[in-house]
Amino acid sequence: MDELRQKYLGAISEVADEAALEYLRVQAVGKKGEISLKMRELGKMTPEERQVAGPALNALKDEINSALAAKKAALADAALDARLRTEWLDVTLPGRARPQGTIHPISQVMEEVTAIFADMGFSVAEGPQIDSDWYNFDALNIPEHHPARGEMDTFYMHRDESDNRPPHVLRTHTSPVQIRTMEVQGAPLRVIAPGRVYRADYDQTHTPMFNQVEGLAIDTDISMANLKWVLEEFVRAYFEVDTVELRFRASHFPFTEPSAEVDLRCSWEGGQLKVGEGDDWMEILGSGMVHPKVLEAGKIDPAKYQGFAFGMGIDRIAMLKYGIPDLRAFFDSDLRWLRHYGFSALDVPTLHQGLSR
Ligand code: DAH
């Protein structure tokens, strides 16, 4: 029996395929296999011999059967392994070409500005790009023959002579969104309104379409001090530097009283702009306390409420922050320019992760 055990266990362990294993199974434990023949010999034995040989033979049969089963499983595993190796697929290969597009610096800056003001409790308001001249001018205390109308180089929408609807314009600034927001939200309110504006003007620093962001905060206890703090906070966060210096210069806008233009300390050494140092000043925005007539136009009681407002050129602050020398390139859609100055779509500007990375 020991001989049989060694013979078959040895052979089973060396078998290389399922056909050879099946052949061994038939030879050992098949109906006419060696173990089965030995079983038949039990009948010729004495009862005493049989009591020893019977269980031993059965145990041997079990042992060989389980060796056969184990080998069968091992062969199946190896076959599967071999198959997986030939059908191998590299899932790390890129399925698609990387996206070529980038986020335009204007969109990036709008997101940055929105993130900063959102952190100070401002929400985003919108208005139409084609607006009536009442929203664009009259409601903002710029009456019909006010010189500010002439200065704006306004695009007027065409009207047939028989058409007596009120005149409409391509908005020349984002300030009309102030009126629309007051009408809808009432006081108190705190919004910024980024968007496109239009003026008939074209040279290295002017394009007929450009972008502004308007700011408006109205409440019962708002002062110039709040305006100053909010703007300083904004400029520091936006330029991502600790030291920025602002200069509030008395000015005049029809829709604010008093009014101030705000300049930013900078240097232009070697044609390279640096913010927060140097002896130059760069105008970045207009601002002031909302004129009582403007509050009235927005159906807000000027005896009860005051507010501050500001308007800032987005293209200008984008050029300043990202060192973009020519405004006109913003609107050329030149792919090489966009690849150079554009931003990754996945790097969404937030205050906690950083505005620009
Ligand atoms: N609307 C002005 C412009 O386009 C900018 C401006 C100045 C907006 C002062 C304001 C402000 O809200 O208070 O030139």
Side-chain angles (χ1 to χ4, degrees), residues 172-173 175 178 199 212 214-215 253 255-256 286-288 309-311:
T172 58
H173 50 180
S175 302
Q178 288 191 29
R199 291 181 202 177
Q212 287 188 336
E214 194 79 11
F253 299 103
F255 29 89
T256 45
S287 64
F310 60 86

